[in-house]
Amino acid sequence: MSSPTLAQGFEERVVEIDGWPVRLTSYRIGDKFICQADNVSPGACLARMSAESASEAESQALSKARHLLGKTKRREV
Amino acid sequence: MAQYAHPEVLVETDWLAEKLSDPSIRAVEVDVDTAAYDLGHIPGAVAWAWNTQLCDTVRRDILPKQELEALLSKSGISPSTTIVLYGDNNNWFAAWAFWQLKIYGHKDVRILNGGRKKWLSEGRELTQETVSYRATSYQAREADLSLRAFLPQVQDAVRNKTASLVDVRSPQEFTGEILAPPGLPETCQRGGHIPGARNVPWGKACNEDGSFKTLDELKTLYGAEGVNASRPTIAYCRIGERSSHTWFVLKYLLGLPDVVNYDGSWTEWGNLVGAPVERGAAQAAGA
């Protein structure tokens, strides 16, 4: 049975990728650092990565988010 | 502060933290996927996957009655259980579960105000332990389809202007600039919105911490777009889950008497041959 834990260092910030705002939500559970990237509007999750360090988790989340956002096609309205 | 129309459907994190060992309450996490649950979840909570366990995986439809019964039975839930739903992205997918549980008549379903985000940001207890409960023999009611809109009902409402249509997607999806949320696969042939719809993105109903805005704030938000109790309301998005969140807000927090979720949403309308489509921003309210 695993012992109870809690999320530490919960923080959010917004960056821009290819003109899209991306929210990065970072925290740590136990020895895992987690970073989730969502597209702010509407807030859909693009990536959620866990790694041994905060920078590694963020780097992986940013990489996947950049890859997915690069496929989004804007149209003239 | 004014009370929501049905405050009993919301619980606060403090409340749930005190009830974690109460066997009459079952917390259920519903996220975009179950990976977050595996990393750490509220002690005692079970996980439901919205895209495999909360829909028909063969034809496009909500969960069949027998499968819902199996899911609830496996989760140790009986008709008298208080189900507390929570999830990531401001309870986006938790609301999808709430809508279906109400369709099948579960009496006491609640949403954790602020969802997973608020629980985590408050530094509350988590576990990676997966729990299993003694199975029940849950028997659901027949589906109450008055909570759901199908295509003919929406087409009729557009033709005869008999309902307020609320498109809860992002402004770029609404105008037709993009065909799906940024970074997600395009799932329709045309961009734009259903003629006459107003655009109130679903997330505007929430605060930064994931909790719902106050009754007065919600009244102002939706009232500015002509969404009120005076006429029926149809909420839609791309595939029906964001709009289940807005359906929850309109029906249970604002107390609108006649609001339905059109889960066919834009992936149905935007793929229909010959369906009328508007592009660009909405006309001014009341125009």
Side-chain angles (χ1 to χ4, degrees):
Chain A
M1 184 172 163
S2 62
S3 55
T5 183
L6 44 80
Q8 295 175 299
F10 188 96
E11 63 174 38
E12 294 181 323
R13 65 190 172 93
V14 175
V15 299
E16 192 174 293
I17 299 176
D18 291 346
W20 300 108
V22 173
R23 180 188 295 110
L24 297 174
T25 303
S26 304
Y27 52 94
R28 176 184 179 178
I29 298 178
D31 59 357
K32 290 288 183 192
F33 290 85
I34 296 140
C35 181
Q36 175 171 324
D38 72 62
N39 58 17
V40 179
S41 177
C45 178
L46 300 173
R48 184 191 300 108
M49 298 298 181
S50 67
E52 304 302 316
S53 71
S55 60
E56 189 183 347
E58 181 174 309
S59 172
Q60 291 178 12
L62 282 169
S63 176
K64 185 173 178 189
R66 186 171 290 113
H67 172 72
L68 292 173
L69 288 168
K71 296 180 176 179
T72 299
K73 184 179 173 186
R74 288 183 166 99
R75 291 163 172 77
E76 291 291 325
V77 178
Chain B
M1 189 188 300
Q3 278 266 33
Y4 296 127
H6 296 281
E8 72 279 5
V9 298
L10 275 184
V11 300
E12 301 299 326
T13 49
D14 282 339
W15 184 91
L16 184 59
E18 291 173 5
K19 304 276 187 186
L20 292 180
S21 57
D22 186 334
S24 70
I25 294 169
R26 181 75 69 251
V28 180
E29 179 162 339
V30 192
D31 300 323
V32 64
D33 55 49
T34 55
Y37 173 89
D38 295 337
L39 289 165
H41 54 267
I42 295 176
V46 297
W48 291 346
W50 77 276
N51 55 346
T52 57
Q53 293 178 291
L54 291 171
C55 62
D56 188 317
T57 54
V58 178
R59 67 177 194 179
R60 187 178 174 201
D61 211 340
I62 61 171
L63 191 61
K65 179 171 175 279
Q66 298 91 327
E67 292 182 30
L68 178 101
E69 290 172 337
L71 178 65
L72 295 182
S73 296
K74 183 183 166 191
S75 304
I77 291 171
S78 72
S80 63
T81 302
T82 297
I83 302 175
V84 178
L85 299 163
Y86 74 98
D88 61 1
N89 292 13
N90 296 352
N91 286 314
W92 176 332
F93 298 98
W96 174 250
F98 186 101
W99 177 63
Q100 292 195 53
L101 287 166
K102 282 303 179 189
I103 284 178
Y104 286 112
H106 192 85
K107 188 176 176 188
D108 192 357
V109 193
R110 309 181 193 190
I111 282 187
L112 178 65
N113 200 11
R116 180 180 170 89
K117 176 179 180 176
K118 191 159 188 286
W119 188 273
L120 261 62
S121 66
E122 290 174 348
R124 294 185 182 276
E125 187 179 343
L126 297 168
T127 184
Q128 293 176 335
E129 183 185 1
T130 304
V131 287
S132 60
Y133 292 97
R134 179 180 296 181
T136 63
S137 298
Y138 193 98
Q139 293 204 316
R141 295 185 190 166
E142 291 304 316
D144 175 6
L145 297 179
S146 71
L147 307 181
R148 188 182 191 193
F150 290 94
L151 179 63
Q153 182 183 345
V154 181
Q155 290 171 317
D156 183 69
V158 171
R159 261 193 308 271
N160 300 309
K161 296 182 168 45
T162 50
S164 298
L165 281 157
V166 186
D167 185 321
V168 312
R169 296 175 299 161
S170 64
Q172 293 99 330
E173 293 172 272
F174 181 83
T175 61
E177 181 186 347
I178 56 177
L179 299 189
L184 271 60
E186 295 183 345
T187 49
C188 56
Q189 292 294 315
R190 293 290 181 270
H193 54 269
I194 299 176
R198 313 300 306 174
N199 184 212
V200 186
W202 75 283
K204 286 194 170 184
C206 296
N207 296 307
E208 276 301 307
D209 68 355
S211 63
F212 290 102
K213 288 184 175 169
T214 66
L215 178 65
D216 290 340
E217 289 171 329
L218 294 173
K219 273 184 181 170
T220 301
L221 173 66
Y222 292 100
E225 296 298 333
V227 178
N228 53 49
S230 67
R231 61 199 308 241
T233 301
I234 300 171
Y236 76 93
C237 57
R238 183 176 68 118
I239 55 175
E241 13 75 338
R242 277 179 276 175
S243 48
S244 63
H245 187 278
T246 297
W247 170 85
F248 172 85
V249 170
L250 296 177
K251 185 173 181 65
Y252 288 94
L253 303 188
L254 281 179
L256 267 57
D258 187 355
V259 52
V260 291
N261 181 23
Y262 170 38
D263 58 308
S265 280
W266 192 252
T267 48
E268 181 168 70
W269 194 279
N271 282 316
L272 280 178
V273 175
V277 170
E278 273 182 4
R279 301 187 77 186
Q283 302 292 311

